Amino acid sequence: MSRALQPFEELVELDAEALRTWSARALDALGREREEIDAINVYPVADGDTGTNLYLTAEAAHQAVEAVFAAAEPDAGETVRAMAHGALLGARGNSGTILAQLLRGMAGVLADGRDGDHLARALAEAATAARLAVAHPVEGTILTVASAAARACTGGGGLAEVAEDAYEGAREALATTRGQLDVLTRAGVVDAGGRGLVAVLGALVETVTGRTPPGPETPPHGVVVPAGPLAPEECGTQDGPAYEVIYLLEAEDASVELLRARLDTLGESLVVVGGDGLWNVHVHVDDAGAAVEAGVEAGRPHRIRITHFASTVPAAADGPGERAQRAVVAVVPGEGLAGLCAEAGATTVQTRPGEPPAGDELVDAIRRAHAREVVLLPNDTELRQTAAAAAERARAEGIRVALIPTRAAVQGIAALAVHEPDRSFDEDVVAMTAAAGATRYAELAVAERQSFTSAGVCQAGDVLGLIEGDVAVIGQDLTDTARTVLDRMLSAGGELVTLIVSDDTPPDLAAALESHVRRGYLAVDTTTYHAGEGAPPLLIGVE
């Protein structure tokens, strides 16, 4: 019988099975408290998603633990490292990113020993590591709660005693956060991230002792805790940066230090966690594109997620505690398009060549949009089934989702251009669907090997012009092939040509095509966008 089925046997060591049980109980605890934590989330942004972000981070950590158990019988060191690594890969939001660093700090110590002394040292290392990861630590937050937990168990003792002391220290510190930040005092709430950490430590106590610890202290008499997230004017944070940018980054330590300095000048709520070549970067900025570009300069960013706060912070007309009415979620290739769509108010999921997003990523993006109604733009024919399944999962959570079957990024841009959140949901979806459907699309690619196509046999290195997904032109030169594709598309008419180029596209290609359209099609306008790294050489849309 596993230890998880013997809850009243007090542990003396956190072995692999105990760590597995802790990760499961932490996830369960955050799941139970997710809505309450979301409801008190007013700092640093009143977007009502701290509980959800902590839950998704813990879910990623637990999935990583289950994965190592499915592959073998891991030891405690492997288990705790998997827990920390999973949290790093799946960290969401400000508090989720800090939780990932807390787990990483603990893992470095617990990999060497799992008794009470090691647990006390692990908590101290975790609190220190988390503070170092935050550009400008603020008291009255999850950092305060983590430090208090570490201080409370400095006297050592057995595993159960250390776990309980840490929990009580965190619980008492959480109650004091209400008076440490003006925004919390005005709202009459404790820090949401700290509340989540108390839940995680409570799960540790239950794992070690078999006893359910008392919950967080209730507010003092006369203080009313809101039933949902406060409107921005009530918490005083509506004038902050417009976007939340999160990405994983493969980079050397020296490059990351330069990145920290660069991002610190661009925004706030900067948290960079990780190490050994892999980092999770979180920042709030007004210029989402610049934040991503800084990551490109430092190394290789991927899993880029950009959230527009205007679509997550409830408007005053909606009243406290309500989600935004409507949001758009768009899947796009390249960080440049991600920034462009984010500026238009969309929550984005960035793809890379050969790395289509999984259903979980799409569901996560729908959740991050934090709206009652969501329009999903997959922008890829091969993503249609994945997107449909993600939409169904989100609908099961009570979110109204409309899937517009956009087959290319240019169709998604056309749909986003006519999006009007103030009109009815059905009318908005119809207008966006019509705009996408009226946009014919093409793509240029380079053949990797010899193959048979609808336009004949191509050789490795040939330039392929695909119109509506089928190879229509095989050429030797990118510009000449692009001109031929454009002529074929415009032979059926058109008023606007959209060109999307990547970092790998020859710098004069867009200008040459714009000149070609001006000379041959006087009534047709041309617009060019830069997709950045990770996009095909050229995407073409004709409306």
Side-chain angles (χ1 to χ4, degrees), residues 240-247 259 262-263 265-268 281-297 301 304-309 332 334-348 350 368 530-531:
Y243 305 101
E244 177 185 61
V245 178
I246 304 175
Y247 51 81
L259 174 66
R262 171 67 175 142
L263 292 179
T265 66
L266 290 175
E268 57 189 48
V281 179
H282 170 280
V283 67
H284 294 173
V285 293
D286 281 320
D287 189 342
V292 176
E293 288 171 8
V296 173
E297 293 174 2
I304 299 170
R305 297 188 296 275
I306 300 174
T307 302
H308 189 223
F309 284 130
V332 292
E335 70 276 0
L337 281 186
L340 173 71
C341 292
E343 289 174 7
T347 295
T348 63
Q350 185 192 342
R368 284 191 290 116
H530 293 272

Side-chain angles (χ1 to χ4, degrees), residues 25-323:
R25 283 181 168 158
L27 178 61
D28 185 54
L30 288 170
R32 290 194 306 270
E33 298 189 27
R34 176 166 61 175
E35 291 186 1
E36 292 183 18
I37 296 173
D38 281 344
I40 62 172
N41 171 205
V42 297
Y43 181 85
V45 176
D47 49 359
D49 65 355
T50 291
T52 299
N53 287 335
L54 287 168
Y55 175 81
L56 293 172
T57 303
E59 183 180 48
H62 184 59
Q63 287 174 347
V65 170
E66 289 300 311
V68 297
F69 269 87
E73 293 186 8
D75 59 25
E78 293 168 332
T79 303
V80 72
R81 283 192 291 267
M83 187 177 180
H85 187 67
L88 175 66
L89 295 180
R92 302 291 193 274
N94 192 67
S95 293
T97 308
I98 294 173
L99 176 61
Q101 187 71 346
L102 288 168
L103 292 174
R104 180 179 172 84
M106 293 184 71
V109 178
L110 293 178
D112 295 330
R114 274 73 60 189
D115 57 12
D117 179 58
H118 280 87
L119 177 59
R121 287 163 49 197
L123 290 166
E125 178 63 27
T128 300
R131 283 184 178 270
L132 291 175
V134 178
H136 302 285
V138 175
E139 296 305 327
T141 65
I142 186 174
L143 298 176
T144 303
V145 175
S147 296
R151 287 194 302 270
C153 58
T154 53
L159 185 64
E161 182 181 357
V162 169
E164 289 179 324
D165 286 348
Y167 177 77
E168 283 302 317
R171 182 169 171 263
E172 292 173 6
L174 176 64
T176 67
T177 60
R178 188 181 298 108
Q180 290 180 289
L181 280 173
D182 288 343
V183 63
L184 300 180
T185 303
R186 290 196 300 272
V189 298
V190 295
D191 178 65
R195 169 80 178 267
L197 180 57
V198 168
V200 171
L201 293 175
L204 177 61
V205 171
E206 188 174 358
T207 299
V208 171
T209 68
R211 297 184 293 274
T212 302
E217 291 187 13
T218 57
H221 179 70
V223 175
V224 179
V225 176
L230 275 70
E233 68 275 6
E234 295 179 73
C235 62
T237 60
Q238 72 273 24
D239 294 327
Y243 305 101
E244 177 185 61
V245 178
I246 304 175
Y247 51 81
L248 288 178
L249 178 70
E250 297 175 19
E252 300 297 327
D253 291 6
S255 297
V256 171
E257 287 307 309
L258 294 174
L259 174 66
R260 289 181 197 268
R262 171 67 175 142
L263 292 179
D264 197 26
T265 66
L266 290 175
E268 57 189 48
S269 296
L270 172 61
V271 185
V272 181
V273 305
D276 301 321
L278 183 63
W279 309 82
N280 192 305
V281 179
H282 170 280
V283 67
H284 294 173
V285 293
D286 281 320
D287 189 342
V292 176
E293 288 171 8
V296 173
E297 293 174 2
R300 177 179 177 264
H302 51 108
R303 295 196 190 181
I304 299 170
R305 297 188 296 275
I306 300 174
T307 302
H308 189 223
F309 284 130
S311 66
T312 63
V313 178
D318 286 335
E322 295 196 19
R323 292 171 175 263

Side-chain angles (χ1 to χ4, degrees), residues 418-430:
V418 301
H419 166 55
E420 291 186 15
D422 291 335
R423 62 188 168 197
S424 74
F425 186 63
D426 291 337
E427 290 177 346
D428 199 28
V429 171
V430 169

